[in-house]
Amino acid sequence: MTTGTTGTTGTTDTAGNTAVAPATTALPTDTARPARAHGRLRRTALASLVAAAVVFPISAAASPDVPAPAPAAFAADATPQTRYAANRANLAEAARMAQDADRTGRASKLRTMEAVEAAGAARFLTFDGRGKGRAVEVFGELETADRVTVLVPGSDTTLDTYERLRAGAVALQQRLQAEHPRSAVVAWLGYDTPGTVSTTVLTADRADEAAAELAPFLDRLREMAAPGARLSLLCHSYGSVVCARTTTGPAVGDIALFGSPGTGAGSVRELPTGARVWAGRGTDDWIAKVPHVRLGAIGFGADPVDPAFGARAFTAGAAGHSDYLKPGTESLDSLAAIVLGTTPDPEATHA
């Protein structure tokens, strides 16, 4: 005997047991198919739009698997001077190993960094020459500084492209010291930045990893600086995603987001910080063309310069995406004023 209900069939054997066959999956109706296809096409189109906008045609240096010594290890209470000396030796050894491995491009970059270090113009709190590399460099006298700024870079910042970050740090330090000699700037390449032409730049995965490194670093940095030092975070491009996910203590007074594709947060109220949050964008910055959408884990949502986000606005003039810290620019003046607390309107309007 055969019995049946909708979607199942059953056959009763001589013992009276009924075996039920798996249900047959119903096919979508002709009217459901176009709707589902339209939804898929819409999601695909939006994701492609985000990718096309973020993966902008700018040059990105390759980061080969370059041999290098393991980074120097330090006790928690190691002084900056102790760290500088050990990382100076590590940098020299990394340059030698890169040259011996015929990685001449990386070796040349490291020798340039080594020459600057030997001249006393800069110092490294952290250095790791392996792979893409990491470096945390100090400009100014950290131990006597009561204004300390941490620059957090965006995508494609590696030891091969490090000079871009360094140039911005130097320009900012010179601008700050013109008004406040007890200033220091820290260039924080403390995470594996995503490639501009990659899928990783479209999600917050790398930012979450970086935030877990940056938060404890800020605590250590406060202890290395002068008592009561005030910290600021200046966060460029994908670095703004990092900063927006970093839990900060009361020592961090200001966070400035610039060239930002979004943060993944809907408003300032969602950020894990009590600091004042600023946002600015130059009129020549291509990042303005990035769609501010979020599809699952892809994209970063709300635009930080939109008044509805709730950040304090700062003027960035005609800055292009890589121009915010160039000497003589309006954006550099604005960022310096944020660090020094000399903005014309420190109670800038929240939307």
Side-chain angles (χ1 to χ4, degrees):
M1 180 180 70
T2 301
T3 61
T5 58
T6 304
T8 64
T9 59
T11 303
T12 304
D13 61 18
T14 57
N17 299 318
T18 301
V20 180
T24 302
T25 302
L27 294 175
T29 64
D30 289 342
T31 56
R33 280 176 179 159
R36 292 182 182 179
H38 178 74
R40 285 195 299 271
L41 287 172
R42 181 176 179 274
R43 289 192 295 271
T44 301
L46 283 172
S48 299
L49 188 58
V50 173
V54 175
V55 183
F56 199 76
I58 63 174
S59 61
S63 296
D65 186 13
V66 181
F74 301 101
D77 59 351
T79 66
Q81 298 301 325
T82 299
R83 295 171 182 269
Y84 299 156
N87 286 318
R88 184 179 302 118
N90 192 288
L91 174 56
E93 178 64 9
R96 184 194 66 77
M97 291 176 68
Q99 187 64 50
D100 289 348
D102 201 28
R103 302 288 192 176
T104 54
R106 173 64 67 83
S108 176
K109 299 287 186 182
L110 295 180
R111 283 196 299 269
T112 299
M113 294 169 68
E114 185 183 7
V116 172
E117 172 75 14
R123 305 147 187 136
F124 291 92
L125 289 172
T126 299
F127 178 81
D128 186 351
R130 300 172 300 178
K132 289 184 175 182
R134 296 189 182 190
V136 178
E137 189 173 13
V138 176
F139 302 82
E141 298 297 331
L142 179 60
E143 292 160 296
T144 61
D146 59 12
R147 288 289 186 277
V148 180
T149 307
V150 179
L151 294 182
V152 181
S155 61
D156 278 328
T157 307
T158 67
L159 290 183
D160 299 309
T161 62
Y162 182 74
E163 184 53 34
R164 298 182 308 193
L165 175 59
R166 187 179 193 283
V170 169
L172 178 63
Q173 174 63 359
Q174 291 174 345
R175 177 65 182 77
L176 292 173
Q177 288 216 317
E179 291 187 45
H180 191 84
R182 293 181 62 190
S183 300
V185 173
V186 179
W188 191 79
L189 178 54
Y191 76 112
D192 293 329
T193 64
T196 301
V197 185
S198 72
T199 56
T200 53
V201 80
L202 301 176
T203 74
D205 291 348
R206 293 285 179 90
D208 287 333
E209 295 170 3
E213 299 280 349
L214 181 56
F217 171 76
L218 294 173
D219 291 337
R220 295 193 300 271
L221 187 65
R222 176 180 55 81
E223 295 172 358
M224 294 179 192
R230 188 171 181 82
L231 276 57
S232 299
L233 285 175
L234 302 190
C235 318
H236 177 239
S237 196
Y238 190 87
S240 66
V241 187
V242 174
C243 292
R245 305 176 97 79
T246 300
T247 301
T248 65
V252 177
D254 293 280
I255 298 175
L257 314 175
F258 52 102
S260 175
T263 65
S267 73
V268 165
R269 292 186 298 275
E270 298 177 19
L271 305 185
T273 183
R276 299 186 301 179
V277 179
W278 305 77
R281 178 179 299 140
T283 57
D284 292 340
D285 190 343
W286 59 260
I287 204 76
K289 296 181 174 63
V290 171
H292 292 283
V293 296
R294 187 171 175 83
L295 303 170
I298 298 176
F300 302 110
D303 187 350
V305 301
D306 186 333
F309 186 75
R312 299 165 183 261
F314 72 86
T315 56
H321 192 65
S322 300
D323 300 337
Y324 289 91
L325 295 174
K326 284 189 175 180
T329 58
E330 187 174 6
S331 53
L332 178 61
D333 286 343
S334 293
L335 290 168
I338 290 171
V339 171
L340 298 177
T342 58
T343 51
D345 181 11
E347 297 299 325
T349 301
H350 288 249

